[in-house]
Amino acid sequence: GWSMSDLISVHNLEYWLTQFANRRYGLNSPGPSQLAKDGLILLGHTVYNCTVQNYHDHNILMINTPTLNATDYTWYSLQDIVTSLQLFVAASPSLGEISAFQYDLADLTRQFLVNLAPIFYQRALDSYNLGLPESLAENKEIFMDLLNDLESVLSTQKQFLFGVWLESAKNVSKTPEEKSLYEFNACNQVTLWGPDGQILDYAAKQWSGLVSHYYGKRWELFFDTLSLNLQQGVSFNQDLYMEEFLETIGKPFCLDQTKQFPVEPSGDIVTISRGILQKWTGFIMP
């Protein structure tokens, strides 16, 4: 086995990641498949090399409550994610049928989109602060389009399906009353955490179903509220926004048990990731 002392040097870290890639993806010959190993080594030096103390005190914008001063914290550059994703996509013709590779490709594509979102949030916020409603609307549409792509990525992997979480809770019930209660608790735990959002988003998850029906709707309400504020010439009121979110989105999402969320994945992650890489890198990088 490996001890922490084995991983002290860069040389040993790269060796460990190389062996990990060989075992995880079955890399036993030279060729394009080796690019996935290179992608992992890059992540090992950047994304997986977090030296930030108390990281959980920092925010991930996508799954946090929208505000006028929301933050997103990373210790690596977006280019690190882009380069690693490019390597994974380049390896996909050789590895695309391997389930572990599909999951890792989806996870990396998810991370790319989540790290990209703050750019368009900030552009929308700048537009609001400058009193530019058309620019605000444009960046809102880009942000929402990004969320739609994130939903598509998450939908390809069973591990990222909100419906699986709900069904696992309902399946342990013995009566209709228990089923309803367990479903409510499972939904409430990963969203409001309390009937009135007492510990809002404490157990937030980047899952298909939550992105489309919870986070996406919350962000859309936020941008629409900013647009309405500009139109009416009034300042954004965080308390009023939160009240509207809870009453029109948060609470109904937890109480509505008629919506059926998928429990089986859909879509080809290789095709989706390749399209997302081409679409969004071209959008932000000359």
Side-chain angles (χ1 to χ4, degrees):
W2 286 86
S3 67
M4 287 303 296
S5 61
D6 293 320
L7 302 178
I8 292 298
S9 72
V10 172
H11 171 75
N12 282 337
L13 173 63
E14 293 189 358
Y15 176 77
W16 189 92
L17 288 170
T18 297
Q19 295 299 104
F20 175 82
N22 290 341
R23 293 189 296 270
R24 186 162 177 82
Y25 308 138
L27 304 183
N28 52 17
S29 62
S33 61
Q34 295 294 324
L35 295 172
K37 174 202 68 179
D38 298 333
L40 282 175
I41 289 175
L42 175 58
L43 294 176
H45 287 293
T46 56
V47 178
Y48 296 147
N49 187 32
C50 178
T51 58
V52 180
Q53 293 184 349
N54 301 319
Y55 171 69
H56 290 291
D57 291 340
H58 299 285
N59 292 322
I60 300 173
L61 180 126
M62 179 70 69
I63 56 175
N64 269 270
T65 304
T67 69
L68 291 181
N69 57 356
T71 59
D72 187 86
Y73 187 84
T74 57
W75 56 93
Y76 51 87
S77 73
L78 180 59
Q79 186 58 51
D80 294 331
I81 294 291
V82 172
T83 302
S84 183
L85 183 55
Q86 288 171 333
L87 291 167
F88 267 73
V89 168
S92 63
S94 300
L95 304 178
E97 298 300 318
I98 300 173
S99 60
F101 176 82
Q102 293 171 4
Y103 175 86
D104 292 347
L105 179 60
D107 198 26
L108 187 55
T109 308
R110 173 202 60 77
Q111 192 66 51
F112 168 56
L113 292 174
V114 169
N115 289 155
L116 186 60
I119 294 175
F120 303 109
Y121 160 78
Q122 191 58 54
R123 290 179 184 177
L125 195 61
D126 291 344
S127 299
Y128 168 76
N129 289 328
L130 292 171
L132 302 174
E134 292 183 359
S135 179
L136 171 59
E138 177 184 351
N139 283 287
K140 172 222 172 178
E141 291 304 315
I142 297 172
F143 190 98
M144 298 308 299
D145 187 31
L146 187 149
L147 282 179
N148 288 335
D149 282 348
L150 178 60
E151 175 73 16
S152 297
V153 169
L154 298 172
S155 296
T156 67
Q157 305 300 307
K158 193 162 189 173
Q159 298 92 328
F160 293 145
L161 299 182
F162 178 53
V164 172
W165 169 257
L166 285 184
E167 289 304 312
S168 67
K170 292 189 284 185
N171 287 341
V172 298
S173 64
K174 295 182 172 57
T175 67
E177 292 77 16
E178 282 187 349
K179 183 178 180 181
S180 178
L181 176 63
Y182 294 169
E183 180 176 0
F184 170 80
N185 284 338
C187 184
N188 189 265
Q189 181 181 338
V190 297
T191 55
L192 302 186
W193 195 299
D196 298 307
Q198 281 80 355
I199 318 180
L200 185 65
D201 299 324
Y202 178 75
K205 300 291 188 294
Q206 296 170 39
W207 285 344
S208 169
L210 287 181
V211 169
S212 57
H213 288 76
Y214 180 72
Y215 300 119
K217 292 185 182 300
R218 186 166 70 179
W219 277 108
E220 185 171 32
L221 175 63
F222 174 72
F223 291 126
D224 288 347
T225 301
L226 295 184
S227 295
L228 184 61
N229 290 163
L230 286 183
Q231 179 182 337
Q232 296 177 340
V234 299
S235 298
F236 175 75
N237 187 309
Q238 185 73 35
D239 291 336
L240 290 179
Y241 165 73
M242 286 302 300
E243 181 179 346
E244 184 172 1
F245 155 68
L246 285 171
E247 296 303 323
T248 64
I249 298 173
K251 291 180 182 179
F253 182 76
C254 291
L255 293 171
D256 181 9
Q257 298 185 349
T258 63
K259 174 67 178 176
Q260 296 296 311
F261 292 92
V263 295
E264 294 297 333
S266 61
D268 175 33
I269 187 56
V270 171
T271 301
I272 291 172
S273 293
R274 184 179 294 115
I276 284 175
L277 185 62
Q278 180 179 9
K279 172 182 177 180
W280 290 102
T281 55
F283 199 95
I284 64 171
M285 300 175 185

